[in-house]
């Protein structure tokens, strides 16, 4: 009746059961979520539209010609022309590059800075916690606009190349928008610290850094993901508001926000929809799809998620 | 609890000082001052500009300006707004409460709708209702504020004239009491709708995420095993735990009640503080800006202390720390 | 023999997941008599908890669903009655305690509050009466300083004390049946013994039946009047505890008993049953234990043995005893 | 996925997810945002007017007065004037924005006024004499003049005005020290208790002595002085104590046609007619200034919320929309000011006149101006309004119409050689221009793309940077700018001293041309208008040739008046608010 170990190992190998890493199963679950799928497709189209689209346009070297300004959509200009006679379709594509990159730059900073600082504040508590949280208080209260105005001037004194400036602006925007995420991560870490698995780590004598990044942060992944997707979405919207207030991208480089804000009087709004509909739809599709992907990621990533 | 309060109040003093220095630097770093505006005038001469700067102490070294400003602040004198040539406190007082009126209505609406919609979406996860709500919520979040504002203005005020074209009261209205109340309500309807739509998205998703987390916990299953009504299980057991992380979000809304919505106030011509501060930024009205920002800093600190206190009340595990 | 309190008849509970249909509980029938302790034994994943949850009708649907069979409680089929009627039974006539005391209590409500809830819900006691009853219950489950404990929070109590509170909660409305889903697995041995003594004592005082779910044969030996052995969603053997321990019939039951360490018998290696519990998805019509059973015959791999009477009060589902080749 | 750090992985996953392509059939494609197609009034859009063709100027009558909305008709005794949000400083001595000035001119009056064609006419003073040496000015106050509380306007009130404007603590916009009144220094910095040069002869006459006079002194002492009641504002007034005056900003009192009843910040200003106004009671009983925004100005007129608007920006869209209303008169006139591009003469590359002329020839200014205003602004070649008597004879000026070849030729002459990379270099330096553009600004939005293109053709790299308005002005005041677009307002007097004299107050471009300096100084000293006109003719010819700044445009200004109102007296030199007592509802 006795079976020795060897046979058991043989049998196990025979069945070649691959251990299923959390990422692969998360990926599989992500693919099953139909909304997230749609989001990914639309977002990929947006990327192709923005980064590859322009090469197909026949108006690449078109000069500014006030003659055919504000033409409605016609066969040469599928989406009509803007106030300076430039092809709206081409501009929308080029604008996509700026808006998408701006969104991702700001969001990754929010996630990196906010998540880390939140976890550290939550984990160490007392002194470290109050310093980080008070810094967050101050930054939270300072209105972003004056900082951006001051920043604009400083950059001009330093002779910073104008077209790169929007990314630095977005870096700064990221640096002053991480507070709400850090606060959420901190509160999550505070309650997580009470649970047994952290006590178990304590017992194992793991280094603090490992405990924070390997154990605490992964458990805050759902909140981080929600914040990351909101971060990308809000950054794209913030860029458009900045353009509305004139602090966004420097003409002639276009961004979706700038194209919409160009049509901010009632007349363009009513009589020339082709000026603001394309960028508006682009922002809408991009932001909605990013949010769906974020949501899908949240469901897929959640270790406790039973589907 | 009291001990936590005292510790936090003591901690807030260095924060206030740090904030005041940062606030002062941010504004003085911004190039030009309100006198620069005047230099565009044809009959202005450089001597005259320097005279005015001296009168306002702008020619003093930075640290001296800071000390005088802080000195006045501590005695409650926020200085005089250069743009409105009135004490900063009275300028803030006139405009802030208009912003507060809209913000408080939006806050109440936003939290009620977001909680109901968010919880329902969590309870019926992956149902049609859930994806419909998610879609609408994402759509609302994806509009730039001025875009949504103009769209609303176009449909409701210009094309169908259901709501007035902006402003806070009808022109030359001498109404009082309830009539005046309804007149103001009619005027603030559109800004409230726009702001609620804009803010509702992220909150609904936070409610949904937290609710999903909590519903799978063991104690919810225990509650059901006790034979409690489903309503009690969800709203007493599950919701209380789901609310914990959102308390911090609620506390963070408090400063927002007073800071005003710059873009919406501009589009709907609402006499709020947001618009006044925006003009203040572009016309370099330092006393007004610094005074108002310090007020917001104090509010934020109070809000955060409140958040931690409320968190302690709500979550016994953190309470006795 | 006292009357039958609960009778499971061909209960089928399936789970519809992405990977396929999991037949967690597949045609299970057995009964629990009033005042009797029935232990349901089996490896994890054999469907014993699902059976209990089906009795309480707490299967989350989607993805789970009770697809067939009946559960008669005092003659009433619990699967047919309306949800509101079922809710009146839960916590009142049938109560349940769970394995994980650390997370089974709501962290933000006081212990007293959670004990009083079923009282206020089912027995319409006033708040003050409910509080007095709660203090009594806390004392009955053997926790000192009951009047202070009632206002404390779950995180302030030890694992053992929390399980006692869970028991206090379940007993608050004098249920006829108490389901205990591996109540002591998460506790250390000394506490485990105290909890089991408490359960035995309470069962005797209140003439309550106890449905104890466990994978620990030691607990079965100590507590059970009657034992039901489950494997891969089916009942493969049941009988009085002495019969099962002295004269196990089904090869799987034998394997289980052999795997138990016996004091005094030194062995260099404990017996292990070869192979693994089969994947619950796509179970065939064969005897699910056939690929691990050393007595497996062709018939075993072809079709399923039915649960046959085998002796006075025992049953077994195995082709060995199907009259054909009774050794 | 060996690497295990979660946060890094999160970002790569996010971008990774974005680049995935093949996947199963997507269920719910996010719905296309369906835009409701507004009414297309495209027909007139097609026949684009050629750039630069003149648009109609002057008073365009309403085509169909009957279409005045009922809500406006119901206001039988009230008129609502739309202006941008005033700041509530209704005191000429301390106001900042022109919107406050509209309210000021409804409530208070000035010592001397200005006619439509900018000539000085009586105000509160019915007549005035200037001594032969031009140093003593005597003003005789109209006996009928009374404040709204019935008390007469006296010389004492005028003296009060002079003293406040020269007070050591005065920080308002008026710059009376330019008039150089005798004893100003002693009063301002010394311990004199009153201005030596200001004498009250009798309640109706006041005499002012100045140390040095020029052609603008009369304007400084007369048309720039608003007279406020000393008995109301002067309570416990002493040198250095203006606090009480400042507390009355929102409760002004003056001798004007209207009395301020109520100011609702951010909303409206309500005024009622001053029945015993000394020039006859105004015809409309109630006056309301309502705050309007750029987004809703035209709609307010359309829905009858306002009867008039002074700040609708002039472009083809707005004019077309206003004409569609039918019941609105459009008073189109040339704005008394011009737009220009400042050049920093400290930089060697701009010091050569030929380079500056090349920058003029090389920029297609017609296209920029047309793109910005759709024809509602005119390109200028000299920094003066066409309506001013000081405007030079155009035949003697060079017209810098767009001529890239001439510009290239000038650049070659100036030694900027064209290299292989398409850019011009001189002693090793590439010709680049850093242009500081203030935002948001419609002119810059049009100018930058065109300038980038035009100057690239010449071989000049034009780099635009976006800065907030004050940042641009501050940068220019410190002389750290290279090029920046600015607009400036002109006064009733044609003297351009401020911007083009080397010691001019607003000349921050280090431009200095001795001949121009000499002419401008002579122009100021001369009193006779004919002689001054000849001086300025010569000065402008030199400026036109020397191109101290790139002249851009003089735009149109638009006052939109509902046809139910009439009687406004408006010109580039006279705001609508100074003739409110003549307005009537027809």
């Amino acid at each position: 009746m006795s079976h020795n170990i060897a046979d058991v190992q043989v049998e196990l190998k025979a069945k070649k059961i691959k251990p299923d890493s959390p990422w692969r199963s998360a990926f599989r679950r992500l693919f099953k979520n139909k909304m997230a799928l749609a989001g990914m497709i639309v977002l990929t189209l947006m990327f192709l539209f923005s980064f590859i689209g322009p090469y197909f346009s026949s108006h690449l070297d078109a000069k500014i010609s006030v003659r055919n300004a504000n033409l409605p959509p016609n066969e040469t200009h599928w989406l009509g022309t803007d106030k300076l006679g430039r092809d709206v379709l081409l501009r929308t594509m080029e604008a996509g590059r700026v808006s998408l990159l701006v969104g991702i730059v700001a969001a990754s900073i929010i996630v990196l800075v906010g998540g880390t600082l939140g976890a550290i504040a939550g984990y160490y508590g007392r002194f470290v916690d109050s310093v980080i949280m008070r810094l967050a208080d101050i930054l939270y209260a300072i209105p972003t606009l004056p900082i951006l105005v001051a920043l604009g001037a400083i950059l001009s004194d330093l002779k910073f190349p104008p077209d790169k400036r929007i990314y630095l602006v977005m870096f700064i925007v990221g640096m002053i928008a991480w507070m709400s995420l850090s606060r959420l991560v901190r509160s999550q870490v505070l309650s997580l610290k009470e649970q047994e698995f952290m006590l178990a780590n304590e017992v194992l004598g793991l280094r603090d850094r490992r405990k924070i990044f390997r154990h605490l942060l992964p458990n805050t992944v759902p909140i981080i993901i929600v914040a990351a997707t909101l971060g990308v979405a809000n950054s794209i919207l913030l860029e458009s508001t900045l353009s509305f207030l004139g602090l966004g991208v420097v003409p002639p480089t276009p961004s979706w926000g700038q194209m919409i804000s160009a049509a901010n009087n009632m007349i363009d709004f009513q009589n020339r929809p082709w000026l603001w509909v394309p960028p508006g739809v682009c922002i809408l599709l991009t932001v909605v799809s990013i949010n769906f992907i974020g949501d899908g990621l949240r469901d897929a990533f959640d270790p406790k998620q039973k589907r | 609890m009291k001990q936590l309060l005292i510790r936090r109040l003591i901690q807030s003093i260095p924060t206030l000082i740090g904030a005041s220095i940062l606030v002062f630097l941010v504004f003085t770093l911004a190039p030009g001052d309100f006198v620069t505006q005047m230099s565009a005038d044809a009959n202005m001469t450089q001597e005259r500009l320097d005279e005015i700067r001296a009168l306002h102490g702008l020619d003093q070294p930075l640290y001296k300006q800071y000390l005088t400003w802080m000195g006045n602040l501590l005695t409650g004198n926020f200085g005089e707004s250069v743009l409105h040539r009135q004490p900063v406190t009275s300028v803030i007082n006139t405009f802030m409460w208009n912003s507060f009126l809209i913000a408080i209505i939006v806050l109440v609406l936003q939290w009620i709708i977001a909680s109901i919609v968010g919880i329902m979406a969590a309870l019926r996860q992956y149902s049609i209702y859930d994806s419909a709500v998610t879609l609408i919520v994402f759509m609302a979040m994806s509009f730039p504020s001025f875009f949504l504002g103009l769209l609303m203005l176009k449909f409701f005020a210009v094309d169908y004239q259901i709501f007035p074209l902006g402003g806070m009261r009808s022109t030359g209205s001498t109404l009082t009491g309830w009539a005046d109340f309804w007149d103001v309500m009619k005027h603030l309807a559109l800004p409230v709708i726009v702001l609620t739509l804009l803010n509702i998205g992220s909150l609904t998703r936070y409610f949904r995420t937290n609710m999903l987390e909590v519903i799978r916990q063991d104690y919810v299953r225990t509650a059901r095993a006790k034979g409690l009504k489903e309503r009690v299980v969800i709203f007493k057991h599950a919701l209380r735990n789901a609310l914990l992380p959102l308390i911090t979000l609620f506390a963070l809304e408090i400063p927002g009640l007073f800071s005003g919505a710059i873009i919406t106030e501009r589009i709907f011509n609402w006499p709020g503080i947001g618009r006044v501060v925006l003009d203040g930024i572009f016309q370099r009205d330092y006393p007004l800006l610094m005074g108002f920002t310090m007020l917001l800093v104090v509010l934020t600190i109070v809000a955060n202390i409140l958040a931690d206190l409320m968190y302690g009340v709500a979550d016994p595990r953190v309470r006795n720390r | 023999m006292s009357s039958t309190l609960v009778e499971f008849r061909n209960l089928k509970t399936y789970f519809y997941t992405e990977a396929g249909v999991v037949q967690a509980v597949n045609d299970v029938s057995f009964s629990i008599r009033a005042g009797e302790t029935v232990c349901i034994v089996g490896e994890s994943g054999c469907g014993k908890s699902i059976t209990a949850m089906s009795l309480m009708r707490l299967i989350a649907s989607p993805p789970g669903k009770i697809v067939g069979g009946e559960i008669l409680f005092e003659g009433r089929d619990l699967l047919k009655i309306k949800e509101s009627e079922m809710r009146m039974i839960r916590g009142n006539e049938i109560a349940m305690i769970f394995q994980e005391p650390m997370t089974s209590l709501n962290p933000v409500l006081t212990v007293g509050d959670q004990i009083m809830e079923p009282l206020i819900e089912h027995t319409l006691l006033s708040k003050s009466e409910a509080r007095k009853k709660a203090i009594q219950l806390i004392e009955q489950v053997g926790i000192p300083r009951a009047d202070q404990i009632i206002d404390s929070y779950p995180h302030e109590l030890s694992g053992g004390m929390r399980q006692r509170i869970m028991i206090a909660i379940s007993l608050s409305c004098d249920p006829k049946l108490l389901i205990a889903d591996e109540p002591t697995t998460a506790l250390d041995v000394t506490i485990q013994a105290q909890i089991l003594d408490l359960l035995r004592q309470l069962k005797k005082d209140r003439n309550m039946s106890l449905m104890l779910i466990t994978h620990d044969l030691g607990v079965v030996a100590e507590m059970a009047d009657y034992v039901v052995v489950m494997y891969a969603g089916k009942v493969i053997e049941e009988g009085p505890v002495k019969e099962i321990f002295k004269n196990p019939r089904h090869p799987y039951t034998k394997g289980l008993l052999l795997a138990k360490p016996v004091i005094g018998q030194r062995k260099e290696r404990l017996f292990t049953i070869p192979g693994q519990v089969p994947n619950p998805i796509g179970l065939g019509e064969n005897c699910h234990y056939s690929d691990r059973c050393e007595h497996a015959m062709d018939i075993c791999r072809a079709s399923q043995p039915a649960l046959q009477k085998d002796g006075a009060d025992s049953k077994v589902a195995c082709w060995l005893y199907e009259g054909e080749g009774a050794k | 996925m060996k690497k295990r750090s979660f946060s890094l992985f999160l970002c790569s996953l996010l971008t990774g997810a974005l680049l995935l392509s093949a996947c199963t059939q997507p269920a719910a494609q996010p719905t296309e945002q369906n835009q409701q197609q507004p009414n297309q009034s495209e027909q007139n859009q097609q026949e684009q007017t050629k750039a630069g063709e003149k648009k109609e100027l002057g008073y365009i009558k309403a085509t169909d007065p009957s279409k005045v909305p009922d809500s406006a008709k119901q206001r039988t005794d009230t008129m609502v004037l739309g202006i941008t949000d005033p700041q509530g400083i209704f005191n000429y001595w301390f106001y900042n924005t022109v919107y406050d000035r509209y309210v000021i001119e409804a409530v208070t009056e000035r010592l001397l006024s200005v006619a439509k064609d900018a000539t000085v006419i009586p105000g509160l003073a019915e007549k005035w004499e200037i001594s032969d040496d031009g140093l003593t000015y005597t003003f005789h106050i109209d006996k009928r003049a009374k404040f709204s509380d019935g008390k007469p306007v006296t010389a004492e009130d005028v003296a009060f005005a002079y003293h406040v404007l020269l007070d050591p603590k005065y920080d308002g916009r008026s710059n009376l020290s330019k008039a150089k009144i005798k004893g100003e220094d002693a009063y301002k910095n010394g311990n004199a208790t009153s201005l030596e040069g200001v004498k009250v002869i009798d309640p109706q006459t006041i005499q002012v002595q100045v140390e040095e006079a020029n052609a603008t002194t009369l304007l400084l002492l007369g048309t720039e002085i608003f007279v406020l009641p000393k008995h109301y504002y002067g309570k416990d007034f002493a040198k250095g104590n203006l606090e009480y005056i400042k507390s009355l900003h929102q409760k002004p009192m003056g001798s004007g046609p209207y009395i301020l009843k109520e100011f609702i910040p951010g909303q409206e200003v309500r005024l009622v007619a001053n029945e015993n106004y000394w020039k006859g009671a105004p015809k409309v009983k109630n006056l309301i200034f309502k705050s309007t925004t750029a987004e809703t100005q035209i709609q307010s007129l359309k829905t009858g919320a306002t009867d008039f608007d002074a700040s609708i920006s002039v472009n083809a869209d707005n004019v077309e929309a206003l004409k569609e209303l039918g019941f609105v008169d459009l008073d189109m006139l040339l704005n008394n000011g011009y737009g220009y591009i400042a050049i920093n003469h400290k930089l060697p590359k701009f010091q050569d006149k030929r380079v500056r002329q090349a920058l003029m020839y090389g920029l297609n200014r017609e296209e920029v101006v047309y793109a910005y205003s759709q024809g509602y602004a005119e390109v200028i070649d000299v920094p003066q309004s066409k309506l001013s008597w000081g405007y030079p004879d155009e035949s003697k000026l060079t017209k810098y119409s767009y001529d890239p070849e001439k510009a290239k030729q000038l650049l070659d002459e100036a030694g900027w050689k064209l290299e292989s990379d398409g850019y011009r270099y001189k002693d090793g330096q590439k010709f680049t221009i850093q242009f500081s553009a203030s935002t948001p600004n419609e002119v810059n939005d049009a100018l930058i793309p065109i300038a980038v293109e035009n100057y690239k053709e010449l071989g000049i790299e034009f780099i635009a940077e976006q800065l907030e308005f004050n940042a641009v002005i501050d940068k220019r005041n410190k002389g750290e700018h290279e090029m920046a677009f600015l607009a400036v307002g002109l006064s009733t007097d044609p003297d351009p001293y401020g911007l083009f004299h080397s010691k001019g107050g607003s000349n921050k471009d280090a431009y200095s041309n001795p001949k121009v300096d000499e002419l401008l100084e002579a122009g100021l000293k001369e009193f006779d208008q004919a002689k001054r006109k000849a001086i300025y003719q010569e000065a402008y010819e030199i400026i036109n040739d020397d191109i101290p700044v790139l002249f851009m445009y003089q735009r149109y200004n638009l006052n939109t008046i509902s046809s139910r109102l009439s009687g406004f007296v408006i010109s580039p030199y006279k705001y609508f608010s100074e003739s409110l007592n003549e307005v009537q509802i027809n």
Side-chain angles (χ1 to χ4, degrees), chain C residues 38-142:
Chain C
V38 170
C39 267
I40 305 193
V41 166
E43 290 171 295
S44 57
C46 70
K48 50 188 186 303
S49 295
I50 303 298
T51 313
M53 292 298 265
S54 307
L55 168 58
M56 291 286 275
R57 271 183 49 194
L58 283 175
I59 299 290
S61 60
K65 194 165 178 302
I66 300 177
V67 292
E70 293 160 345
I71 303 178
L72 303 178
F73 179 73
E74 289 179 331
R76 277 170 72 193
D77 182 356
L78 296 184
L79 301 185
K80 301 290 185 294
I81 58 173
K82 288 208 301 310
E83 172 57 23
S84 51
E85 284 170 300
M86 186 60 206
R87 197 173 52 69
M88 293 314 293
I89 295 172
R90 273 191 218 118
N92 191 2
E93 289 171 43
I94 308 176
M96 189 166 181
I97 57 174
F98 301 96
Q99 171 180 349
E100 203 38 73
M102 297 305 279
T103 56
S104 299
L105 288 173
N106 190 328
V108 290
L109 299 175
T110 64
V111 164
D113 190 348
Q114 299 187 49
I115 297 173
M116 286 149 59
E117 263 181 327
L119 287 170
I120 295 168
E121 178 67 31
H122 295 303
T123 60
L124 307 178
L125 281 175
S126 75
K127 246 187 178 300
S128 51
E129 287 154 353
R131 186 178 169 84
K132 268 202 244 66
K133 184 85 163 62
I135 293 175
Q136 267 175 12
L137 282 168
I138 295 177
E139 276 146 10
Q140 271 178 17
V141 290

Side-chain angles (χ1 to χ4, degrees), chain D residues 290-340:
Chain D
K290 178 156 175 43
S291 305
T292 59
T293 64
E295 282 82 12
T296 58
Q297 281 158 342
I298 298 176
Q299 274 63 38
S300 309
L301 289 165
K302 185 175 173 187
T303 54
T306 49
D307 300 324
F308 169 95
D309 206 302
S311 32
I312 295 182
S313 57
V314 185
N315 55 51
D317 297 339
N318 287 349
V319 171
E320 189 203 312
L322 289 172
K323 279 193 185 137
E324 252 169 54
L325 299 183
F327 61 89
V328 169
D329 302 349
L330 304 182
D331 184 359
M332 195 85 74
L333 35 88
L334 272 173
N335 174 41
N336 188 24
Y338 59 90
Y340 68 97

Side-chain angles (χ1 to χ4, degrees), chain B residues 13 16-17 20 66-79 294:
Chain B
I13 294 161
L16 271 173
I17 294 166
S20 64
Y66 171 70
L67 292 178
T68 33
W69 172 61
M70 268 312 266
N72 298 342
L73 211 61
L74 295 180
T75 57
N77 157 13
F78 274 60
M294 278 317 290

Side-chain angles (χ1 to χ4, degrees), chain B residues 48 51, chain D residues 165-170 175-177 183-192 195 239:
Chain B
R48 182 65 193 139
E51 256 173 45
Chain D
L165 292 175
L166 288 177
D167 191 278
K169 283 279 190 301
Y170 173 71
N175 188 4
L176 190 52
S177 43
E184 174 201 341
D185 187 41
Y187 184 69
K188 216 173 195 179
N189 311 327
N191 40 36
L195 284 164
K239 189 165 92 166

Side-chain angles (χ1 to χ4, degrees), chain D residues 99-119:
Chain D
Y99 314 118
D100 289 73
R101 179 168 179 155
Y102 296 144
V103 179
I104 291 167
E105 287 190 340
V107 177
T108 57
E109 288 174 318
R110 36 185 174 167
L111 197 56
L112 296 180
S113 183
V114 168
K116 278 182 89 162
D117 59 2
T119 52

Side-chain angles (χ1 to χ4, degrees), chain C residues 261-279:
Chain C
V262 177
I263 300 160
Q265 281 184 358
R266 198 115 236 8
K267 277 203 206 125
E268 80 294 333
R269 258 201 47 67
L270 280 177
F271 170 77
T272 55
I273 305 172
Q276 284 213 327
V277 179
N279 183 336

